[in-house]
Amino acid sequence: AMYVMAINRTGFDNLYIDSVQVVSATQNLCGPVTLDLTDDNFGLAPSDGDNRTATVYFPRESVKIKNGYALTVQVPILPIAAKADDLTVKVFAHNKTSVVLEMPGIAPANYDYNYSRTKAAPALARNVMSNATIVINPDEEFTTTFDHSLFTISDYNFFMSGPQKVRFSQGNLQRVDGAWRFADHQYDIFRSWSETSCDLFYWETEGNYGSEKIISHIKGGPGDVVDWGVNAISNGGNTANLWKTLNRAEWNHIFIGRSGSCFARARLFDERNGVILFPDNYVHPAGVPAPIGVNVITSGTVGNKYTADQWAAMEGAGAVFLPATYSRCDHRLDGGSDYNSSKVFYWTSQAHEYQYYEKSAYCVRFYLYNSYIPDGIRDRMWACPVRLVRNAE
C-alpha cells in the first residue's frame, strides 16, 4: 500500500479532497477494482480504468483540509518492482461548495479552482508501506477551471496595443489580515467592515491601496492611475502584476461597446442584487429563463431572478456577476447598514483629469432601478469595490 500525505497551502480552509490516485507507467497496481468510498458500504466497485491506476474516491464534500493542515490517505496497491520513476501520485481537490459535483472525485468546470498535483513517488517493495507527500499550493502552476469566458476590450493602451481578450477574477478583491485575495464566489461581499476584513477601497495612489479604516486626505493628483492588480493576490496566482484594473474606457467597452448581449440587471438566490456581464459569444444554458432587459441603459428593474442551480449553469457558460454594494466613507455606509444595495459602484483605474475634480476618480456607476452612467464620478474618500481582469492571450 502507499500512504499519500496532502498538505493544504492554498489559503482556503474549505479545500475538499475529491480523490487520490496512484499511477504506474508499466505495471499493474491492483486488480480490476477501485476502492470507492462514495458507496454507503465503503465497498469495492468495478474500476473504470486499467489496472495500472488505483484511485480512492471520497464522498462529495465530506473530506476537508484546513489551510496549513495535512491529510494522509492510504491507497491500496500491490507491490511492484523497485523502479524509482515508475509511480506517479495525484491529488484532486477543489475549494468551492455551492455547486454539486457531477460525479465522485471529479469537480466540474464551474468550480472556482481545481487542483491536480502530480509527483513522482518512491519505489514500492514487498511488505513496505511507501510514502508520498504532495503540497497543494496555488503559487506553483495553479490551474483555474472556472472559465469566465472571453471579454474583448478595445485599444486603450491597457495590456498592449490593439484589441485584447480578458477574463474576470473569480470574485471581488478583498484584503484580509494584511493579505490580498479574491472572494470565493462572484456574489460574495462582506456585510460589515473591520480592521482585518475589507472589500471596499478608497481610491488612492499610496499606502495600502485604500484599505485603511479612515483616510484623512487622498494622495495623488488629477490624471493619476491606481491599479490594484500590482499586488500579489494569494488565491489568484500570488504573483504581482498578474491582474489589472480596467480603466473607464475599457469598462464602458465591456458594457456597451461589444456586439450582442453585454449586460442585464439580476437578483441571485432572491437575496443578492447585481449586474450580469455576458462574455463574447455567450450561449445561454438550456432550461434557464432567458434574461430580459438586456443592454437596457436608461432604466430598468431587477426583473431577472435566478436560483442557485440556474446561476451555476450561467456561471458555467462564462457569465460574470458584479454584486451591488453600498459605498463606505470612513466607517459610515452610504444608505444603511446592509451591503445588499440597488447601487453598483466599481472603481476604474483612473482619477478625474481636471483640477476641479482633483479629489474624484472615475467609476462604473449603475443604479439597478435607474440608468447606467458610463463615466461615473465618485469622491475618492468613498470606498467602492474592485473587480480585476487578467489578460487571456
Side-chain angles (χ1 to χ4, degrees), residues 255-256 263-265 293-301 365-374:
F255 269 95
I256 60 177
F263 69 89
R265 300 163 174 85
V294 174
N295 297 351
V296 174
I297 295 176
T298 55
S299 64
T301 61
R365 191 171 81 180
F366 204 114
Y367 294 163
L368 297 182
Y369 298 98
N370 204 324
S371 60
Y372 164 62
I373 301 177

Side-chain angles (χ1 to χ4, degrees), residues 307-346:
T307 66
D309 289 341
Q310 290 169 342
W311 169 242
M314 295 176 66
E315 198 175 37
V320 167
F321 184 70
L322 301 177
T325 71
Y326 284 113
S327 302
R328 175 175 57 84
C329 184
D330 294 341
H331 55 277
R332 303 187 305 276
L333 294 177
D334 175 20
S337 59
D338 188 350
Y339 270 28
N340 191 24
S341 172
S342 62
K343 303 175 184 178
V344 175
F345 291 97
Y346 279 79

Side-chain angles (χ1 to χ4, degrees), residues 150-285:
L150 297 176
F151 290 75
T152 301
I153 57 174
S154 289
D155 182 7
Y156 296 110
N157 297 318
F158 181 55
F159 289 108
M160 58 189 76
S161 61
Q164 299 298 304
K165 301 288 188 178
V166 299
R167 300 184 194 275
F168 280 81
S169 60
Q170 70 181 55
N172 284 357
L173 185 65
Q174 299 175 343
R175 187 166 172 84
V176 180
D177 294 329
W180 297 96
R181 70 182 311 276
F182 291 132
D184 290 342
H185 311 98
Q186 295 202 68
Y187 45 79
D188 284 347
I189 55 177
F190 292 138
R191 290 188 175 274
S192 61
W193 191 94
S194 72
E195 294 282 358
T196 58
S197 298
C198 172
D199 63 352
L200 297 176
F201 303 95
Y202 306 109
W203 201 102
E204 67 169 344
T205 56
E206 298 179 22
N208 294 323
Y209 292 88
S211 60
E212 299 90 345
K213 181 177 181 180
I214 297 176
I215 188 166
S216 58
H217 65 281
I218 297 298
K219 301 170 184 176
D224 280 341
V225 172
V226 166
D227 185 1
W228 283 266
V230 301
N231 300 290
I233 299 168
S234 61
N235 60 346
N238 207 30
T239 301
N241 298 303
L242 190 61
W243 299 85
K244 294 288 184 180
T245 307
L246 291 168
N247 65 34
R248 64 177 178 131
E250 291 158 350
W251 265 119
N252 291 329
H253 189 79
I254 291 288
F255 269 95
I256 60 177
R258 300 176 295 138
S259 60
S261 299
C262 294
F263 69 89
R265 300 163 174 85
R267 184 173 175 85
L268 302 187
F269 325 139
D270 201 28
E271 66 176 33
R272 188 59 46 82
N273 294 329
V275 174
I276 293 176
L277 299 179
F278 301 106
D280 302 347
N281 304 317
Y282 175 73
V283 177
H284 193 67

Side-chain angles (χ1 to χ4, degrees), residues 23 118 148 169:
V23 181
T118 302
H148 295 312
S169 60

Side-chain angles (χ1 to χ4, degrees), residues 36-55:
D36 189 349
L37 299 185
T38 61
D39 287 351
D40 291 338
N41 59 3
F42 300 101
L44 294 174
S47 173
D48 293 329
D50 58 39
N51 297 347
R52 295 178 183 176
T53 300
T55 306

